[in-house]
Amino acid sequence: MDDAIHLTYPISPDDFTRAGEASSDVKRKLKQMGVNPEAIRKVAIAMYEGEINMVIHAKGGEIRVDITPEKIIMVLDDVGPGIPNVELAMQAGYSTAPDEVRSLGFGAGMGLPNMKKYTDSMDIETTIGVGTKITMVVNI
Amino acid sequence: MDKFYHSVRLDPDLCKGCINCIKRCPTEAIRVRNGKAQINSKFCIDCGECIRVCPHHAKYAIYDRPDAIKQYEYTVALPAPSLYSQFNNLDDVNIVLNALLLMGFDDVFEVSAAAELVSEATRTYITTHRDQLPFISTACPSVVRLIRVRFPNLISHMLPLNPPVEVAAMLAVSQAMKKTGLPREKIGIFFISPCPSKVTYVKSPLGNEFSQVDRVLAIKDIYPQLLSRMKAVGKDYPEIGTSGKIGISWGRSGGESSGLLSENYLAADGIENVIRVLEDLEDQKFTNLEFIELNACNGGCVGGILTVENPYVAETKLKRLRRYMPVARTHMSQEAEELIPWTTGVQYEPVFRLGNTMMESFTRLNQVERLCKKLPGLDCGSCGAPTCKALAEDIVRGQAQETDCVYYLRENLHRLSEEVSTLADDLAAGDRGGQETLRILKEYIHRISDEMSLLDGQEDDGDKIASQSTDTSSSGTSGSEASGAEASGRTGAVRNTVHQQNTPIEEKEDS
């Protein structure tokens, strides 16, 4: 994996206006690489959901993306409260987003389920009070 | 038919090689090479942004001259709704329509009338295809072209219906042929357009094999001719208008959506805003939307570069004009129903791919990342590319070199002169054999002067780079090739792309 393309995007907390920048940049690169549109779509949706999650729930963090000719690996590493019940969080519609976030149209409880739905594999490592690391893979 | 036909062109004689257009082009299609701008025909979407910003009027649009009307036995004018918004105190569209007849057209067919049919067809299409929501408007040719090259995942969301101008042209042709008995080629269908993007559409339509529009005239050319004739229309004139509020509203952003009689729409105008909406749409940021209306120009069609009035003033005039109009006056017929759907699909054109295969593209993307770390990141544009990243992409495509970056060159010069000074110190201290050190010293000075000449004479050197870029371009059709064709015979290039029954759009320079 030495020739993988390594990208790092810092995510600042509470900044909704910048959410989506990382996914836009990755999309642009995947299009330049000639990756099939379906894989691009999956990466775009999963990554945007992930970015928004980090903005809403965590105190920021960073997204690391590795692109190889076979797959795209996205690691979303945040400094946040952790997810107390991963099984519950994976249920569609379950949300712990505060009201002010919901009033912005976010927090529908579809974040994690969508990330799982649009990726080929998803792994969650979470520690209460420390943070969450989600690794998603989309095969090309 | 040329897949990448363009109505937005460059006049190299007027181009000063400044960076205004490269900075503002929304698809990064322009590079300054050899002291002149070049438009990459694969990236360009004919939005006309460069025509707007060029301080030297070196960008122009091509369209027909009004006297082309003499070349047909029977002519029909198709006024765009935005035409009505250009006049002060106009309270009846019929005055404009009658003035068009006085100008010499045999008949008029309002694009706004056809727009009401398209609105009706869109409403039906949305209700019968709810599983594919949302739909993106396909009325603005620049937006369709943008999606075709940059948003492959949104192609299936494009509304597969002909734009009003095409529906108007098809209906006008059939009416004229019935009325006159003339063969198709003796009838001239003239669209009076707010923008060059429609010229592109007519020459190389997407969604249809060819367009029934024969000629495209600019609103700004027709405007002065209409003014005098509108006075001549007088107070007693026949009512020939057949459109209402819905049709007229298509001239401004949000108009097409309002014709859908639904609240679940989004309307964005201005090419940068359009791109942002498409990006968000691709990330599935929006939910519960049925329709996305996108117009490349600020304010919608009233903001087209071939109009005369300020787009926001024009929008107000349009609102005032439609105030007392009925909602819609043109309704679906069986003939129209059959004419409205697209007959061909739109294919994704991956023009932004860096290489020919995925492996090649991947390797080049990796090189771009490394180059970006090396380049200063100032996006100064001095190299002729809009950003350092764009320069890096050009370099890996073989269309530019690292030495195109003035900062890179400057650093090189610093390094060389430091080495020269070390050598000179050595020589003075007598550490080395005199002759050999002198030879090396001379060589370094040579290299410095070579690099200096790169900085001074970008023009002489640019020749080499430009010709090289055409040869090594991975795709084979780079911007330089397109501009080469233009230089060798602009009219010829246009003539090739004209569909069977028509004579070409005549070149007319515009700035």
Side-chain angles (χ1 to χ4, degrees), chain B residues 6-175:
Chain B
H6 290 293
S7 58
V8 173
R9 311 275 176 102
L10 174 89
D11 183 344
D13 293 339
L14 291 177
C15 179
K16 297 256 192 285
C18 70
I19 61 163
N20 283 294
C21 61
I22 59 171
K23 281 291 192 186
R24 290 283 290 274
C25 174
T27 58
E28 297 187 338
I30 313 175
R31 297 291 183 276
V32 174
R33 294 210 207 287
N34 196 13
K36 301 285 178 192
Q38 291 178 357
I39 308 174
N40 181 329
S41 69
K42 289 193 159 186
F43 294 2
C44 173
I45 54 167
D46 281 342
C47 65
E49 217 47 36
C50 55
I51 299 181
R52 251 188 266 272
V53 300
C54 179
H56 311 293
H57 307 295
K59 301 290 197 312
Y60 64 95
I62 58 160
Y63 44 82
D64 291 293
R65 290 171 194 282
D67 58 13
I69 191 172
K70 293 177 195 143
Q71 293 167 21
Y72 298 89
E73 256 179 58
Y74 189 87
T75 52
V76 187
L78 312 183
S82 45
L83 175 68
Y84 311 142
S85 67
Q86 306 294 301
F87 307 97
N88 289 326
N89 308 316
L90 178 72
D91 54 11
D92 187 355
V93 168
N94 283 297
I95 300 170
V96 178
L97 303 180
N98 279 289
L100 282 167
L101 295 179
L102 290 179
M103 255 186 76
F105 289 105
D106 296 296
D107 200 0
V108 279
F109 194 110
E110 287 180 280
V111 172
S112 47
E116 294 185 345
L117 299 175
V118 177
S119 288
E120 201 176 322
T122 308
R123 292 196 295 268
T124 311
Y125 196 87
I126 289 176
T127 25
T128 51
H129 295 80
R130 299 202 67 85
D131 52 323
Q132 293 161 39
L133 293 178
F135 288 103
I136 305 168
S137 162
T138 46
C140 174
S142 288
V143 170
V144 176
R145 277 170 160 68
L146 177 67
I147 294 174
R148 173 177 74 150
V149 296
R150 200 160 145 182
F151 297 96
N153 285 309
L154 301 177
I155 289 179
S156 63
H157 287 280
M158 289 202 289
L159 185 72
L161 304 181
N162 283 320
V165 58
E166 191 57 43
V167 177
M170 293 193 280
L171 292 171
V173 165
S174 102
Q175 274 185 15

Side-chain angles (χ1 to χ4, degrees), chain B residues 115-419:
Chain B
E116 294 185 345
L117 299 175
V118 177
S119 288
E120 201 176 322
T122 308
R123 292 196 295 268
T124 311
Y125 196 87
I126 289 176
T127 25
T128 51
H129 295 80
R130 299 202 67 85
D131 52 323
Q132 293 161 39
L133 293 178
F135 288 103
I136 305 168
S137 162
T138 46
C140 174
S142 288
V143 170
V144 176
R145 277 170 160 68
L146 177 67
I147 294 174
R148 173 177 74 150
V149 296
R150 200 160 145 182
F151 297 96
N153 285 309
L154 301 177
I155 289 179
S156 63
H157 287 280
M158 289 202 289
L159 185 72
L161 304 181
N162 283 320
V165 58
E166 191 57 43
V167 177
M170 293 193 280
L171 292 171
V173 165
S174 102
Q175 274 185 15
M177 285 173 78
K178 259 181 233 155
K179 193 167 158 190
T180 63
L182 286 170
R184 174 66 183 91
E185 64 271 17
K186 301 220 161 161
I187 296 166
I189 305 294
F190 284 67
F191 176 48
I192 299 164
S193 175
C195 70
S197 181
K198 298 284 187 193
V199 176
T200 309
Y201 167 81
V202 165
K203 291 293 172 192
S204 170
L206 292 174
N208 233 331
E209 229 165 302
F210 56 85
S211 170
Q212 291 292 346
V213 176
D214 299 313
R215 301 288 185 147
V216 181
L217 306 180
I219 284 182
K220 62 175 198 161
D221 277 0
I222 298 298
Y223 178 78
Q225 300 199 27
L226 274 180
L227 279 183
S228 57
R229 271 130 183 146
M230 280 164 70
K231 283 191 191 107
V233 167
K235 288 205 163 17
D236 194 24
Y237 49 81
E239 282 229 359
I240 44 181
T242 57
S243 58
K245 264 185 192 155
I246 287 184
I248 303 283
S249 300
W250 274 68
R252 59 167 179 89
S253 174
E256 180 185 1
S257 303
S258 66
L260 301 179
L261 316 175
S262 152
E263 295 303 313
N264 299 325
Y265 70 83
L266 172 160
D269 53 291
I271 191 69
E272 294 296 342
N273 301 325
V274 165
I275 291 173
R276 203 175 152 194
V277 167
L278 291 170
E279 286 281 353
D280 289 353
L281 204 55
E282 199 171 43
D283 295 355
Q284 286 195 359
K285 257 193 197 180
F286 309 121
T287 44
N288 305 326
L289 275 181
E290 289 181 359
F291 192 72
I292 321 273
E293 176 186 337
L294 302 172
N295 287 288
C297 294
N298 287 328
C301 295
V302 288
I305 51 165
L306 302 181
T307 60
V308 290
E309 184 56 284
N310 170 305
Y312 300 98
V313 175
E315 195 184 330
T316 306
K317 289 182 183 173
L318 210 56
K319 269 190 217 152
R320 207 178 287 153
L321 181 64
R322 53 175 217 138
R323 197 170 32 182
Y324 299 114
M325 283 187 159
V327 175
R329 287 166 65 192
T330 302
H331 300 286
M332 196 60 81
S333 63
Q334 203 191 335
E335 184 192 13
E337 209 169 352
E338 284 162 11
L339 294 176
I340 292 176
W342 274 4
T343 51
T344 60
V346 173
Q347 294 299 316
Y348 173 42
E349 300 287 347
V351 298
F352 294 106
R353 238 175 17 193
L354 291 172
N356 288 321
T357 62
M358 192 155 87
M359 265 327 281
E360 189 182 42
S361 301
F362 174 76
T363 312
R364 287 183 174 181
L365 187 59
N366 226 336
Q367 288 168 347
V368 168
E369 289 304 305
R370 279 196 293 268
L371 277 168
C372 281
K373 289 192 183 107
K374 238 164 112 181
L375 295 169
L378 292 170
D379 297 343
C380 70
S382 302
C383 61
T387 61
C388 293
K389 191 179 246 176
L391 173 64
E393 289 161 11
D394 289 350
I395 293 171
V396 303
R397 285 188 171 110
Q399 294 163 355
Q401 300 175 345
E402 281 179 46
T403 48
D404 288 344
C405 173
V406 287
Y407 293 91
Y408 179 90
L409 259 184
R410 196 173 68 174
E411 221 168 84
N412 256 9
L413 280 170
H414 274 305
R415 199 173 38 77
L416 282 172
S417 37
E418 267 164 33
E419 282 174 36

Side-chain angles (χ1 to χ4, degrees), chain B residues 416 419-420 423-424 426-427 432-448:
Chain B
L416 282 172
E419 282 174 36
V420 167
L423 273 175
D426 288 354
L427 197 63
R432 290 199 189 179
Q435 282 307 313
E436 177 59 9
T437 313
L438 263 179
R439 193 189 59 77
I440 300 173
L441 206 57
K442 261 178 135 176
E443 197 186 304
Y444 270 112
I445 292 169
H446 250 287
R447 276 167 64 186
I448 291 177

